[in-house]
């Protein structure tokens, strides 16, 4: 329907353009007047109508060509002008023609709006066939009238000669006339199917449309019953309109003849196809057969690939479900284990069995009291308004008050404000002063980083040291889990070296060298080495000679030495007092004093202060490249700054009251008594372990732990295996269930294959330690009897 509407609109525009030209021709007298009118209208037309004006100009040009041709046929080049009465008559006829043609094309344009392929709406139901025929007859009469003016014979003859001489010009004029006639016929032919459409029942036409006459009859009627073909055959002279009609008929016959041939050919082809016998096999060419086989082969391959993909997808989904179920099962098992342990602890409490947590080095949790001087200074710094009380010195020691005022002045904004990312400058200077007093060699405050406990300092340095999995770090076995966990976290490789239990957990340099060679043969680059002095969990102290061997080895192998010296205050024997690696390095002189890259760690969590929760520690960097220190500074700035209370705790630990200060006597007494008690407890625990069947323990020379070896009977190992547990894990769980003593299996620290250990602290108070020893002894005797 849209196609029909477009054609209708085009027809209306063409008709409007044509009749505008016809009306102007009637007023101005020919193509010249039409051309002048065209120029005037073009100048006055608004810009918004440019598209319509282009179409109107084309219509005017076609009309001008038409009238020029008509005049040429009627008497082109005539020597005389028609009489005035004839001219007036011609003008009247042209005006009448314009009006009649305007009515005619309005009707034709209206009929063209109907869609031939679809039923037209009742309002646009089309003209009756009779009306269409009348309009055609009227149009033919109009064309006849335009060609009828009398012409002198000479003028006609001259016109014929000119026509012959202007063949090139005549041809396009004839084509323009034919195009115009075809456009006039177009709306009529488009109208005929619409006229034949049945009207809607609600608006049925008054008279049924008559049967459309044949085309030949129609054409004869157009000339009032005359047969132009017969007239041409008889040699009769034809008018211009009759000649055009004759040409049109000839073209239509040629078109029909061509269509008929095509239809005949199609019909013959159809008949020939139908004539073929059905079911007769067609011989397949070799090439077609190969193509068919190849396509079949590809189809099978694609089907097999799809099948395999579906199987792989199903397998992956099944594995994913199985892994998820397994993880869920493990999680459920972990939850059940936690619930069982919780239930056991609760049962122990109900039975009056107190849990003794000897699994963590947490002094204050096991009854250690904080040192008075440290807490007084912390209190005053946290609550500086107390310093304004007149009686402040009667509540706090005068030297504690003085230290608090000094620290508050050093911390701009108080303890609630950020400090430098490396720590407060005043605190770092106090640390440097402590190191210099201890070792006899200067320290640079700008190479010291204060951190939230020594663990943060260790992780910060490992992060700077490790680049990828090929970077290895030597760690002693047994080892503190901080190192293995951090190395794994930063993507490095742990290179273990075993301590010699038979020599008091001492270092064996041959074992250390073999560990490095093995790592390098595996493509690893050993960049760092950790040693803990005094040892955790083993409790041994390294002598100055041991440290010299380590320093020589590290310089020779170009390895960064990481000295974990957090237990330097916890020494329980006099044969091997604590000596720092930095002091031994400087005592050795060159090249070691300048070539050993050393990282030294310390904390307030251990020693007699035992302030684990305040989280204060530091690392000193010796002979480390300045560029590396700058990069570590950037990393430290991520956390903005270490906590201020931890920094103050470090200050009071490393710069305690001196002789003559009001707090000196009390502070010295508190520290001395705690260290003496720890020494007694270390001896008490070690002696108890060594008195038991199947147990041996090196004396706890320092730190806070004992690490005895247990020789489990075969029956105990079988029971542990049945439960899917290691022998030392099985032993520690049974110990917890029977006594409430919580320890750590040696497998958590690493141990020589085929051996079993446990780690316990020596931190329970002396009054509790006796009960601890008795409970442990009773359990062990019963355990060994049950598993003989």
């Amino acid at each position: 329907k849209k196609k029909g509407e477009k054609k209708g609109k085009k027809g209306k525009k063409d008709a409007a353009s044509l009749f505008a030209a016809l009306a102007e021709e009637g007023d101005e007298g020919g193509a010249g007047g039409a051309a002048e009118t065209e120029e005037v209208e073009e100048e006055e037309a608004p810009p918004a109508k440019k598209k319509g004006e282009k179409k109107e100009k084309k219509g005017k040009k076609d009309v001008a060509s038409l009238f020029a041709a008509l005049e040429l046929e009627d008497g082109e080049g005539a020597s005389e002008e028609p009489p005035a009465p004839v001219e007036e008559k011609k003008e009247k006829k042209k005006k009448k023609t314009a009006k009649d043609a305007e009515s005619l094309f309005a009707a034709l344009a209206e009929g063209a709006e109907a869609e031939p392929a679809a039923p037209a709406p009742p309002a646009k139901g089309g003209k009756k066939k009779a009306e269409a025929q009348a309009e055609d007859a009227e149009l033919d009469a109009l064309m006849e009238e335009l060609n009828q003016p009398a012409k002198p014979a000479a003028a006609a003859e001259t016109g014929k000669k000119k026509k012959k001489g202007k063949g090139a010009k005549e041809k396009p004029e004839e084509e323009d006339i034919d195009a115009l006639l075809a456009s006039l016929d177009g709306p009529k032919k488009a109208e005929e199917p619409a006229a034949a459409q049945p009207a809607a029942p609600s608006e049925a036409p008054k008279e049924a449309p008559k049967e459309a006459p044949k085309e030949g009859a129609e054409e004869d009627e157009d000339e009032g019953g005359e047969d132009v073909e017969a007239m041409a055959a008889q040699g009769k002279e034809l008018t211009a309109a009759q000649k055009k009609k004759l040409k049109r008929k000839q073209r239509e016959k040629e078109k029909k003849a061509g269509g008929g041939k095509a239809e005949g050919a199609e019909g013959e082809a159809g008949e020939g196809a139908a004539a073929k016998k059905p079911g007769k096999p067609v011989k397949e060419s070799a090439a077609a057969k190969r193509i068919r086989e190849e396509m079949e082969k590809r189809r099978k391959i694609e089907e097999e690939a799809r099948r395999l993909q579906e199987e792989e997808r199903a397998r992956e989904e099944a594995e994913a479900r199985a892994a998820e179920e397994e993880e869920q099962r493990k999680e459920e098992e972990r939850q059940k284990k936690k619930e069982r342990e919780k239930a056991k602890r609760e049962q122990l409490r109900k039975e009056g069995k107190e849990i003794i947590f000897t699994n963590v080095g947490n002094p204050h949790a096991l009854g250690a009291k904080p040192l008075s001087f440290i807490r007084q200074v912390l209190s005053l710094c946290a609550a500086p308004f107390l310093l304004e009380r007149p009686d402040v010195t009667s509540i706090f020691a005068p030297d504690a008050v003085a230290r608090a005022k000094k620290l508050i002045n050093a911390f701009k904004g108080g303890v609630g404000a950020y400090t430098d990312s490396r720590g407060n400058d005043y605190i770092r200077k106090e640390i440097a002063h402590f190191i210099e007093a201890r070792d006899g060699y200067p320290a640079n405050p700008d190479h010291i980083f204060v951190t939230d406990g020594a663990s943060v300092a260790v992780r910060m340095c490992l992060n700077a040291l490790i680049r990828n999995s090929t970077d290895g770090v030597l760690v002693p076995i047994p080892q503190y889990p901080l190192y293995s966990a951090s190395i794994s976290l930063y993507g490095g490789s742990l290179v273990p070296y075993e301590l010699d239990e038979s020599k008091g957990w001492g270092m064996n340099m041959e074992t250390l060298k073999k560990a490095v060679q093995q790592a390098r043969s595996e493509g690893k680059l050993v960049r760092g080495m950790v040693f803990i002095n005094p040892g955790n969990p083993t409790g041994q102290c390294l002598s100055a000679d041991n440290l010299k061997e380590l320093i020589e080895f590290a310089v020779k192998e170009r390895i960064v030495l990481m000295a974990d010296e957090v237990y330097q205050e916890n020494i329980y024997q006099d044969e091997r007092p604590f000596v720092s690696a930095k002091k031994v390095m400087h005592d050795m002189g060159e090249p070691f004093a300048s070539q050993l890259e050393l990282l030294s760690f310390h904390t307030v969590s251990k020693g007699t202060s035992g302030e684990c929760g305040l989280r204060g520690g530091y690392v000193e960097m010796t002979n480390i490249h300045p560029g590396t220190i700058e990069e570590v500074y950037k990393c430290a700035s991520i956390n903005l700054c270490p906590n201020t209370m931890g920094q103050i705790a470090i200050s009071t630990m490393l710069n305690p009251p001196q002789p003559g200060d009001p707090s000196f006597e009390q502070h010295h007494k508190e520290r001395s008594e705690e260290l003496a008690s720890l020494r007694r407890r270390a001896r008490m625990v070690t002696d108890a372990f060594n008195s038991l069947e199947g147990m041996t323990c090196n004396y706890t020379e320092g730190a806070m732990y004992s690490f005895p070896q247990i020789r489990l009977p075969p029956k105990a190992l079988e029971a542990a295996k049945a439960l899917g547990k290691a022998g030392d894990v099985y032993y520690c769980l049974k110990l917890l269930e029977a006594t409430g003593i919580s320890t750590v299996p040696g497998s958590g620290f690493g141990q020589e294959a085929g051996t079993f250990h446990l780690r316990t602290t020596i931190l329970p108070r002396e009054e509790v330690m006796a009960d601890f020893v008795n409970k442990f002894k009773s359990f062990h005797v019963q355990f060994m009897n049950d598993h003989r």
Side-chain angles (χ1 to χ4, degrees):
K1 191 172 181 179
K2 288 181 179 178
K3 187 175 179 183
E5 289 175 357
K6 288 180 180 178
K7 287 182 178 178
K9 289 177 181 177
K10 185 176 182 303
K12 283 183 177 181
K13 289 179 179 179
D14 292 342
S17 301
L18 174 60
F19 283 108
L22 288 172
E24 290 167 3
E25 179 64 25
D27 294 335
E28 301 295 334
E36 291 175 6
T37 307
E38 177 187 343
E39 291 175 1
V40 173
E41 289 182 1
E42 184 177 354
E43 292 175 0
E44 295 178 355
K49 297 182 179 179
K50 286 183 180 180
K51 188 173 180 183
E53 288 171 356
K54 289 180 181 178
K55 292 183 177 178
E56 186 175 342
K57 288 176 185 178
K58 185 177 181 302
K60 289 179 179 180
K61 289 178 181 178
D62 293 340
V63 173
S65 301
L66 171 62
F67 279 104
L70 291 175
E71 289 177 0
L72 187 63
E73 289 180 1
D74 289 345
E76 185 178 5
S79 59
E80 297 179 2
E81 292 184 2
V86 176
E87 184 68 21
E88 291 176 3
K89 184 177 180 181
K90 185 177 178 180
E91 291 293 327
K92 290 178 182 180
K93 284 182 179 181
K94 287 182 179 180
K95 289 180 180 180
K96 182 177 182 303
T97 299
K99 291 180 181 179
D100 294 340
E102 185 174 359
S103 303
L104 170 61
F105 281 112
L108 291 174
E110 180 178 300
E113 291 180 0
E115 175 66 25
K124 298 180 181 180
K127 301 286 186 178
K128 296 178 181 178
K129 189 61 182 178
E131 293 176 355
Q133 292 173 357
E135 290 168 357
D136 291 344
E138 187 176 358
L139 177 61
D140 290 341
L142 169 63
M143 300 304 296
E144 182 68 19
E145 220 173 311
L146 292 171
N147 289 283
Q148 285 305 320
K151 296 185 276 292
E157 191 69 20
T158 306
K160 288 177 183 178
K161 289 180 182 178
K162 288 185 177 180
K163 286 179 187 176
K164 290 179 182 178
K166 297 180 180 179
K169 183 177 179 181
E170 182 181 352
K171 190 173 182 180
E173 289 173 352
E174 289 177 0
E175 289 175 357
D176 291 337
I177 295 167
D178 292 341
L180 176 60
L181 291 172
S183 68
L184 293 173
D185 288 340
K188 179 175 72 176
K189 289 177 181 177
E191 180 187 15
E192 286 174 5
Q197 298 290 346
S202 58
E203 296 185 13
K206 294 179 181 179
E207 294 180 13
K210 295 179 182 180
E211 186 178 352
K214 294 181 180 178
E215 290 183 6
E218 241 178 52
E219 291 169 357
D220 291 342
E221 289 173 7
D222 289 344
E223 282 297 318
E226 294 178 355
D227 188 347
V228 290
E229 292 179 343
M231 292 172 67
Q234 293 171 8
K236 292 182 180 181
E237 186 175 355
L238 302 177
T239 65
Q242 288 172 337
K243 288 178 182 179
K244 300 303 178 287
K245 188 161 291 186
L246 179 61
K247 287 182 181 180
R248 181 154 50 91
K249 279 192 171 189
Q250 289 173 351
R251 284 197 299 271
E252 289 175 356
K253 282 184 178 181
E254 289 173 0
K255 288 181 181 178
K256 287 180 180 179
K261 288 178 182 179
E263 289 173 5
E266 290 174 2
E268 288 174 7
E271 289 172 5
K276 289 182 181 178
K277 293 181 180 181
K280 185 177 180 180
V282 180
K283 187 176 180 180
E284 185 179 29
S285 67
K289 184 178 180 180
R290 285 197 301 272
I291 292 171
R292 180 177 55 77
E293 290 175 350
E294 183 64 24
M295 291 177 68
E296 181 66 19
K297 189 186 297 183
R298 289 183 181 181
R299 185 184 62 80
K300 289 181 179 180
I301 291 172
E302 289 174 357
E303 288 179 356
E304 180 66 14
R306 282 194 295 271
R307 185 185 65 78
L308 292 174
Q309 286 176 355
E310 290 174 0
E311 289 180 357
E312 180 65 16
R313 191 182 302 110
R315 184 183 63 79
E316 289 176 354
E317 290 176 356
E319 289 178 355
R321 285 195 300 271
E324 187 178 352
E325 291 173 359
E326 178 65 17
E327 183 61 29
Q328 186 177 0
R329 185 190 65 77
K330 288 181 179 179
E331 182 61 27
E332 291 175 355
E333 184 63 28
R334 284 192 291 268
Q335 292 299 327
K336 289 179 181 178
K337 182 178 178 181
K338 288 180 180 179
E339 291 174 1
R340 286 195 300 269
E341 291 175 354
K342 183 178 179 180
K344 287 178 181 177
R345 289 195 297 270
E346 187 63 26
Q347 182 180 358
L348 290 172
R349 288 193 183 93
K350 289 180 179 179
E351 294 174 358
K353 297 176 181 178
E354 183 183 359
I355 304 298
I356 304 174
F357 294 98
T358 65
N359 58 319
V360 181
N362 193 6
H364 292 182
L366 291 172
K369 294 181 179 180
L371 298 178
S372 301
F373 179 77
I374 293 176
R375 288 302 179 93
Q376 286 186 37
V377 174
L378 286 169
S379 299
L380 291 169
C381 289
F385 53 85
L386 294 175
L387 295 171
E388 299 174 2
R389 291 174 59 98
D391 58 346
V392 64
T393 53
S394 62
I395 302 173
F396 299 95
D399 53 343
V401 172
R403 177 68 64 84
K405 290 180 178 179
K406 188 177 291 186
L407 288 169
I408 289 172
N409 290 332
F411 283 78
K412 303 301 180 183
V415 295
Y418 287 133
T419 67
D420 187 287
S421 298
R422 294 170 299 182
N424 185 277
D425 182 64
Y426 178 83
I427 302 298
R428 287 186 287 114
K429 286 179 179 178
E430 283 192 310
I431 295 171
H433 179 74
F434 161 78
I435 294 170
E436 183 176 350
R438 181 196 66 189
D439 299 335
Y441 298 100
N444 187 343
D446 291 336
H447 295 172
I448 295 171
F449 287 78
V450 181
T451 56
D452 293 333
S455 298
V456 174
V458 168
R459 293 199 303 271
M460 183 171 66
C461 293
L462 286 173
N463 187 31
L465 190 67
I466 296 170
R467 298 167 300 181
N468 50 53
S469 60
T470 61
D471 289 340
V473 180
L474 288 160
V475 177
I477 299 298
Q479 58 95 27
Y480 180 42
L482 164 68
Y483 294 98
S484 57
S486 299
I487 292 169
S488 178
L489 176 65
Y490 298 128
S493 296
L494 185 145
V495 181
Y497 67 93
E498 292 184 352
L499 301 177
D500 191 346
E501 186 174 9
S502 64
K503 295 181 179 179
W505 297 112
M507 284 190 178
N508 187 323
M509 296 308 297
E510 290 302 320
T511 302
L512 188 60
K513 292 174 183 178
K514 286 180 181 179
V516 173
Q517 292 171 358
Q518 178 64 28
R520 288 173 177 168
S521 68
E522 295 172 357
K524 294 183 177 63
L525 177 62
V526 180
R527 288 169 58 83
M529 176 181 174
V530 175
F531 74 92
I532 307 173
N533 182 36
N536 176 16
T538 52
Q540 89 286 1
C541 291
L542 295 178
S543 65
D545 291 338
N546 292 146
L547 292 174
K548 286 179 182 179
E549 289 179 322
L550 279 178
I551 292 169
E552 289 174 352
F553 175 78
V555 171
K556 180 182 178 181
E557 301 295 341
R558 297 179 60 82
I559 293 173
V560 177
L561 206 56
M562 301 178 69
D564 186 336
E565 298 173 337
V566 298
Y567 297 102
Q568 58 188 266
E569 190 181 0
N570 299 94
I571 303 298
Y572 312 128
Q573 43 75 36
D574 300 323
E575 291 79 13
R576 285 190 295 277
F578 171 78
V579 182
S580 73
K582 182 178 179 181
K583 176 176 174 53
V584 174
M585 176 194 75
H586 281 291
D587 288 346
M588 292 173 68
E590 296 296 339
F592 307 104
S594 61
Q595 293 187 10
L596 176 67
E597 294 177 282
L598 178 65
L599 301 169
S600 304
F601 305 95
H602 197 13
T603 181
V604 297
S605 299
K606 311 306 176 183
T608 55
S609 56
E611 298 282 4
C612 299
L614 292 179
R615 310 309 300 137
Y618 72 84
V619 57
E620 181 195 14
M621 299 183 177
T622 305
N623 295 328
I624 302 298
H625 193 282
T628 300
I629 295 175
E630 289 178 5
E631 294 303 314
V632 174
Y633 193 0
K634 292 177 184 178
C635 293
S637 67
I638 295 173
N639 294 324
L640 298 179
C641 75
N643 81 88
T644 53
M645 298 303 282
Q647 294 184 59
I648 292 171
I650 291 173
S651 170
T652 55
M653 177 187 75
L654 301 182
N655 186 14
Q658 299 300 311
D661 292 341
S663 299
F664 174 77
E665 294 296 332
Q666 183 181 7
H667 184 73
H668 180 72
K669 179 183 177 183
E670 290 174 352
R671 287 185 66 249
S672 300
E673 288 180 354
E674 182 63 18
L675 284 172
S677 175
L678 285 168
R679 178 178 289 210
R680 289 191 295 270
R681 281 177 270 170
R683 175 61 64 182
M684 187 186 302
V685 171
T686 302
D687 291 346
F689 289 150
N690 286 325
S691 68
L692 297 173
E693 178 189 3
M695 259 195 175
T696 56
C697 183
N698 283 304
Y699 177 67
T700 303
E701 299 175 339
M704 297 177 173
Y705 316 99
S706 288
F707 198 67
Q709 180 180 160
I710 313 168
R711 296 175 179 83
L712 296 171
K715 192 175 179 180
L717 295 175
E718 291 174 3
K721 186 177 180 180
L723 295 173
K725 300 183 184 302
D728 50 6
V729 174
Y730 176 73
Y731 182 91
C732 291
L733 287 174
K734 290 294 183 182
L735 174 65
L736 176 64
E737 292 174 5
T739 65
I741 297 173
S742 177
T743 56
V744 183
S747 53
F749 302 93
Q751 55 196 349
E752 185 180 352
T755 63
F756 301 99
H757 299 78
L758 65 82
R759 189 193 78 167
T760 179
T761 68
I762 59 171
L763 295 178
R765 309 311 298 168
E766 282 190 79
E767 58 272 19
V768 177
M769 185 59 73
D771 183 50
F772 167 85
V773 169
N774 291 332
K775 285 181 177 180
F776 197 100
K777 284 183 176 181
S778 299
F779 163 78
H780 184 77
V781 171
Q782 187 63 44
F783 179 87
M784 297 299 286
N785 291 334
D786 293 342
H787 295 86
R788 291 190 187 280

